[in-house]
Amino acid sequence: MACAKVPLDELHVTEPIGAQGQERTLPALHPDRKEERCFLSYKPPPEDSTPALTEEFLEHAQFISEDLDWLLALPHDKFWCQVVFDESLQRCLDSYLRHAPRGLDPSGLSSSPAVADMQRNIHRSVFMVFLRMATHKESKEHFITPEVFAEIIYNNYLFDIPKILDVCVLFGKGNSQLLHKMIENIFTQQPSYYGDLNETIPSIIQVFDTILQMCGIQSEDTGTGQPLKLNANKRHTTMTMPEEELADLVLYMCDTCTTIHSFLDIFPEACTTFKEHNFLNRLSSFYEMAVPDLEKAVKKRNFDKSFQEDMWRRISHSRKKMVEIAHLLLQHTCLQPILEGTESMASCVDDLLQNFTAFLPEKRFLADYDEQFSIADDISLLQQAFPHLDDTRTSYLLQGVESAWECVGKQRSFPSSANHSAGAKSMTGRDLAASQNEGAGVLGDRDELRGAEAMTDVPRKGDNGAVCTVSAGELESLLTHIRDLLPDLGEGFILACLEEYGYNSELVINNVLEDKLPPSIDKLDRAMARPAKKELPSVLSTRSNAFDDDEFDVFNRERLDMSRIWKGRRERESVRATLEDKQHIEEQRARYQAYQTVVDEIPVENDPLRDRDDAFGTYDYDDEYDDTYDVNQIGANDLDEEDELLNRRPFTIPQVLRRGKQAREDVADEEEEEDENETVKKDQFVQDPAVLRERAEARRAAMQSRKGYRPPPASHVEGGPRGRGQTQDTVLDRRRKEANKSRGANHNRRTMADRKRNKGMIPS
């Protein structure tokens, strides 16, 4: 049997053969070790949920589910034998990738819980099989040599680029991290897949060119220089082609865009390969030419209502995915290196600006891209990361974006600097009738997906932090537009709906048709008339001015003193007369006459305080008495005693009256006393550093002596003069220093840098 820790490609097993008990030794990976089992091909759930079709699907799917569960339960060697040598298994997996329902595909899952459960079981089992096939090391005992694993999956076509694309679009919902590890391991172990991807991208671009040709549009990028055929002008256009052909065309475009977006979102490393093929410019050009033509055909032609809604939903979904593909390519090839501050930041900045400049001719694409991912925010980010950015170039780009919005006839719902990367506003397929203008419509239309991409985000007033306001002319246009489609609604009811949904006519039509109005609107009378307009107050009654109600306020006064109003110089008035006019002085005379009379005493009658204090003669105020220092106790705190006066400074005999020895002793005593006083009273704000070092050294020595520290022996590295020989101590000390010098100072920079980098402290 299998030995531990031996790769599967080197492992040999011994098996009995025949009835006689003979044995033979075979490689672990050998066709004879494959179990004989026939895996059925997958069939999608029936769209018609009749009992017979449902029972047939459940019976067929039960066999597939049991076979896949049996496969996953096999040991490591048996599993790989079955995967490599069983062709029916590969046909089963390929059929599931080809026929499994995508997000927008109609299916009977919602009608039967049993069908939904069975589909869910098969979906999980297929994903687990692909995940196990992409793992070369399941455990320490069960693994395959990476080189052999790369050859097995590549030479046996276990994985190829179309399979990887289908795996991403089918299993990307909720499994993005696992899928990223899985695809990354495939591309890492077998780099040849990068070459296959490089050869696949021209085929994807050819898909866009084929769609344009089927629409009757000649791409400018695919000119071959060959003359057109005589019947080239007789090809069908989107307005004349059969309904089935138009449906196939829209399905083809929707499936292609969804698959590319899922692959780039899960495996961003492939963005560089797409960029090398100028995929971004081809995508924007295709968007500009194909999307308006297809939308026009779906809107103008008389299709069945359900078919028309389905086509519009798929076109809207394709628009959203194409814009997100462009953003993924720009983010991972330009924006991400700029944020990480790599060495190629300058070239990435220039590349990003060149891509934005290339978008300028594609007005529809540029406006839709800016609606989801604000270009102004990206340019602001560039200006922060790269201060030397050319302002003229950025201003030109921003003006081009504004021009694109005007050309397509769209109005911004957000300021140009707002960040829309969280996703665009959405609408359902019934917004088809609401988008009458060629360039109108909101990107990211509500897809109502049945699978992974289902998103419902209805913006109402106040959701974006601001209330939408429209002019009177725009409001009348919205009312007329909605009433043309829904004539049974009253203008009052339509106005209430517009106010509820931020004056977005598409959302109003969608929610009215699908009966998804909020309770506050649904309870209103749908035939409600438009409320009468309230007469606004006149401007004169609401104005506010600093000169209101003065003598010249002609709006509030009926009569004015016309004698005080004249134009130019007054008649019969001279400069001398103006200067001699003292009327203003006479007007002020009465004001100042009140200050002429000065009264020294004012008699107070019937004052009880006067009668009470006159007995003591204290009522009259003496102005000449100064009571400023009445509260201060002058001299109370002075040291008037003899002893206290002597305490200030001791009595000393003058030096002139001292005698020999006494004078010298007194001088010595004074010097000692001064030294002591200086030692004690000296200003220690800034002490002598030498003294501080001595004290610190003494404290350090005392502490070391307490701990039993033995100082190192004296170093003799310097030695004596050259030419006279060195002592043995000097030779030993120099040898010890040379051996240990990397332990300190700055000699081990490289070692420490390597240590930091290994621990992740320095980005490599």
Side-chain angles (χ1 to χ4, degrees):
M1 293 302 293
C3 299
K5 296 184 179 181
V6 177
L8 183 63
D9 50 283
E10 300 178 3
L11 185 65
H12 289 74
V13 295
T14 302
E15 293 181 349
I17 58 172
Q20 300 179 357
Q22 297 180 354
E23 294 182 350
R24 64 173 179 175
T25 301
L26 296 174
L29 282 176
H30 195 275
D32 293 344
R33 301 195 66 212
K34 175 179 69 71
E35 297 290 340
E36 294 299 332
R37 199 177 188 97
C38 181
F39 289 83
L40 300 178
S41 297
Y42 171 81
K43 293 181 180 180
E47 297 182 11
D48 186 7
S49 58
T50 57
L53 294 177
T54 302
E55 184 179 358
E56 180 184 359
F57 170 78
L58 291 175
E59 183 180 2
H60 186 84
Q62 182 66 29
F63 288 121
I64 298 177
S65 179
E66 292 176 356
D67 290 341
L68 293 178
D69 292 341
W70 170 82
L71 176 67
L72 292 172
L74 291 177
H76 184 251
D77 55 342
K78 289 285 188 179
F79 172 82
W80 278 100
C81 287
Q82 205 72 28
V83 165
V84 174
F85 303 113
D86 193 344
E87 296 181 358
S88 65
L89 172 61
Q90 296 304 321
R91 287 195 297 269
C92 175
L93 298 177
D94 292 346
S95 64
Y96 185 83
L97 296 180
R98 186 180 303 110
H99 300 296
R102 268 64 171 173
L104 288 173
D105 293 342
S107 62
L109 300 181
S110 58
S111 60
S112 174
V115 173
D117 292 340
M118 182 59 67
Q119 175 65 25
R120 193 178 301 110
N121 292 335
I122 295 178
H123 188 80
R124 180 184 179 279
S125 299
V126 172
F127 176 64
M128 295 302 296
V129 170
F130 278 112
L131 192 63
R132 191 174 182 184
M133 286 167 53
T135 306
H136 69 282
K137 184 177 182 180
E138 294 186 2
S139 64
K140 293 182 179 180
E141 293 78 17
H142 304 98
F143 63 95
I144 305 175
T145 306
E147 294 78 8
V148 178
F149 170 77
E151 294 179 1
I152 291 176
I153 63 174
Y154 192 77
N155 296 335
N156 294 279
Y157 298 96
L158 300 185
F159 289 101
D160 52 29
I161 298 301
K163 282 185 180 180
I164 294 175
L165 295 177
D166 288 333
V167 166
C168 289
V169 74
L170 283 175
F171 305 105
K173 175 64 176 178
N175 303 305
S176 57
Q177 295 183 353
L178 279 176
L179 279 177
H180 179 265
K181 293 182 179 179
M182 166 183 161
I183 299 175
E184 185 181 27
N185 185 56
I186 293 173
F187 277 80
T188 301
Q189 303 300 335
Q190 181 54 273
S192 299
Y193 283 109
Y194 281 106
D196 293 350
L197 178 63
N198 192 51
E199 297 176 358
T200 305
I201 295 176
S203 301
I204 298 175
I205 296 176
Q206 184 62 38
V207 170
F208 294 151
D209 296 336
T210 303
I211 295 175
L212 291 177
Q213 292 176 4
M214 295 177 66
C215 294
I217 303 173
Q218 181 64 31
S219 175
E220 298 177 358
D221 299 329
T222 58
T224 57
Q226 299 179 358
L228 294 176
K229 297 181 180 180
L230 295 178
N231 59 350
N233 296 327
K234 298 181 180 180
R235 290 180 300 180
H236 289 294
T237 63
T238 53
M239 298 297 295
T240 60
M241 68 174 55
E243 180 178 331
E244 295 78 8
E245 188 175 347
L246 179 62
D248 291 340
L249 196 64
V250 174
L251 292 175
Y252 194 23
M253 180 182 68
C254 181
D255 185 64
T256 302
C257 297
T258 305
T259 302
I260 296 173
H261 174 266
S262 300
F263 175 65
L264 293 180
D265 188 31
I266 293 173
F267 189 60
E269 290 83 349
C271 291
T272 305
T273 308
F274 276 80
K275 180 186 174 185
E276 294 173 354
H277 289 267
N278 199 23
F279 185 81
L280 196 56
N281 293 335
R282 301 297 294 273
L283 179 67
S284 61
S285 177
F286 170 78
Y287 186 99
E288 193 72 15
M289 291 187 289
V291 169
D293 195 63
L294 291 172
E295 287 183 344
K296 179 181 178 181
V298 174
K299 288 187 294 186
K300 300 297 183 182
R301 296 181 63 175
N302 295 325
F303 294 128
D304 180 72
K305 186 176 181 180
S306 59
F307 174 80
Q308 199 174 26
E309 291 178 358
D310 183 63
M311 291 297 101
W312 181 263
R313 185 169 62 251
R314 291 179 183 276
I315 293 174
S316 302
H317 181 71
S318 303
R319 290 173 53 197
K320 182 179 180 181
K321 293 304 177 184
M322 281 189 278
V323 171
E324 291 178 353
I325 288 170
H327 180 68
L328 284 173
L329 293 175
L330 292 177
Q331 179 182 3
H332 293 289
T333 59
C334 299
L335 290 174
Q336 197 67 29
I338 293 173
L339 294 176
E340 294 175 355
T342 58
E343 297 179 355
S344 60
M345 183 174 66
S347 61
C348 291
V349 170
D350 186 67
D351 191 15
L352 181 62
L353 294 178
Q354 286 182 359
N355 283 297
F356 284 154
T357 305
F359 291 162
L360 293 181
E362 322 295 348
K363 303 294 184 181
R364 180 74 179 276
F365 177 80
L366 183 62
D368 289 347
Y369 181 91
D370 184 63
E371 188 174 5
Q372 282 204 73
F373 310 101
S374 174
I375 295 178
D377 288 348
D378 292 340
I379 292 179
S380 176
L381 177 64
L382 295 184
Q383 291 173 343
Q384 296 176 13
F386 199 74
H388 304 291
L389 200 62
D390 187 4
D391 294 337
T392 305
R393 190 175 184 183
T394 56
S395 300
Y396 172 73
L397 287 175
L398 294 178
Q399 292 175 2
V401 174
E402 296 293 336
S403 175
W405 279 84
E406 295 175 0
C407 289
V408 300
K410 299 175 68 175
Q411 294 182 353
R412 288 181 182 270
S413 300
F414 299 88
S416 59
S417 61
N419 186 5
H420 315 317
S421 60
K425 295 181 292 183
S426 37
M427 61 180 178
T428 64
R430 301 197 180 192
D431 296 341
L432 164 65
S435 180
Q436 296 296 331
N437 297 327
E438 289 299 325
V442 180
L443 184 64
D445 311 84
R446 182 189 300 274
D447 299 327
E448 290 189 356
L449 305 184
R450 304 166 191 260
E453 296 87 356
M455 292 180 60
T456 55
D457 180 29
V458 181
R460 298 174 182 262
K461 61 179 181 180
D463 285 355
N464 55 3
V467 178
C468 300
T469 57
V470 295
S471 63
E474 293 172 341
L475 182 60
E476 293 296 332
S477 177
L478 291 174
L479 286 173
T480 305
H481 173 58
I482 296 176
R483 292 213 63 184
D484 290 342
L485 297 173
L486 304 171
D488 57 324
L489 299 181
E491 291 188 357
F493 181 78
I494 296 175
L495 280 176
C497 294
L498 287 174
E499 292 177 359
E500 178 69 20
Y501 292 103
Y503 297 94
N504 191 325
S505 60
E506 289 84 0
L507 288 177
V508 171
I509 297 173
N510 171 68
N511 287 278
V512 169
L513 291 176
E514 299 190 355
D515 199 15
K516 292 183 178 179
L517 295 174
S520 60
I521 301 296
D522 197 22
K523 67 182 181 181
L524 298 177
D525 183 13
R526 300 209 170 194
M528 183 174 58
R530 188 173 184 176
K533 293 185 178 179
K534 297 181 180 179
E535 294 185 1
L536 298 177
S538 62
V539 178
L540 297 179
S541 62
T542 58
R543 73 184 183 93
S544 179
N545 194 282
F547 302 101
D548 285 348
D549 299 325
D550 65 359
E551 57 179 331
F552 300 110
D553 191 355
V554 296
F555 301 108
N556 296 326
R557 291 181 178 270
E558 296 181 357
R559 296 181 180 180
L560 299 178
D561 186 3
M562 301 303 295
S563 63
R564 292 181 52 79
I565 302 174
W566 63 86
K567 183 178 181 181
R569 181 180 296 182
R570 299 182 66 177
E571 296 180 359
R572 298 186 301 276
E573 181 180 6
S574 62
V575 177
R576 182 178 297 277
T578 303
L579 295 176
E580 291 179 355
D581 184 9
K582 307 298 182 182
Q583 183 180 358
H584 63 284
I585 297 178
E586 296 297 333
E587 293 175 354
Q588 301 295 331
R589 188 181 301 280
R591 177 181 299 178
Y592 290 100
Q593 283 180 353
Y595 299 99
Q596 289 181 354
T597 305
V598 179
V599 181
D600 294 335
E601 294 184 3
I602 300 178
V604 180
E605 299 179 358
N606 300 326
D607 188 357
L609 183 62
R610 179 181 182 88
D611 298 337
R612 185 185 63 185
D613 294 338
D614 273 353
F616 302 96
T618 60
Y619 184 80
D620 292 338
Y621 174 75
D622 187 3
D623 189 48
E624 295 182 357
Y625 176 76
D626 189 4
D627 58 355
T628 304
Y629 301 101
D630 284 356
V631 185
N632 298 336
Q633 298 179 4
I634 301 175
N637 298 325
D638 293 345
L639 301 176
D640 296 336
E641 297 183 4
E642 226 179 289
D643 297 337
E644 291 177 351
L645 292 174
L646 293 177
N647 286 336
R648 296 183 180 179
R649 183 171 180 177
F651 176 76
T652 56
I653 301 175
Q655 189 173 1
V656 179
L657 302 178
R658 296 178 187 176
R659 298 180 180 179
K661 183 176 180 182
Q662 183 181 2
R664 290 192 298 272
E665 290 178 355
D666 291 341
V667 170
D669 293 340
E670 289 179 359
E671 291 179 354
E672 291 179 0
E673 186 176 355
E674 289 178 359
D675 293 341
E676 292 177 358
N677 292 337
E678 288 180 359
T679 303
V680 175
K681 298 180 180 181
K682 187 176 180 180
D683 186 7
Q684 299 295 336
F685 182 73
V686 179
Q687 298 185 9
D688 186 6
V691 176
L692 294 177
R693 286 193 294 270
E694 291 178 0
R695 293 177 182 174
E697 186 64 29
R699 288 195 300 270
R700 189 181 303 107
M703 182 181 65
Q704 292 177 353
S705 62
R706 288 196 301 270
K707 294 182 178 181
Y709 173 77
R710 184 174 61 183
S715 177
H716 304 86
V717 176
E718 297 182 359
R722 293 185 179 181
R724 300 183 182 179
Q726 303 295 339
T727 62
Q728 186 67 19
D729 294 338
T730 301
V731 174
L732 293 177
D733 288 348
R734 289 181 177 178
R735 186 180 303 166
R736 190 180 300 110
K737 177 183 177 182
E738 181 67 24
N740 299 323
K741 68 178 182 180
S742 62
R743 294 177 62 252
N746 202 25
H747 300 284
N748 57 345
R749 289 177 297 178
R750 181 174 299 176
T751 303
M752 297 305 294
D754 293 340
R755 182 181 179 186
K756 289 182 178 180
R757 184 175 294 105
N758 293 336
K759 291 186 177 182
M761 300 172 67
I762 300 177
S764 56

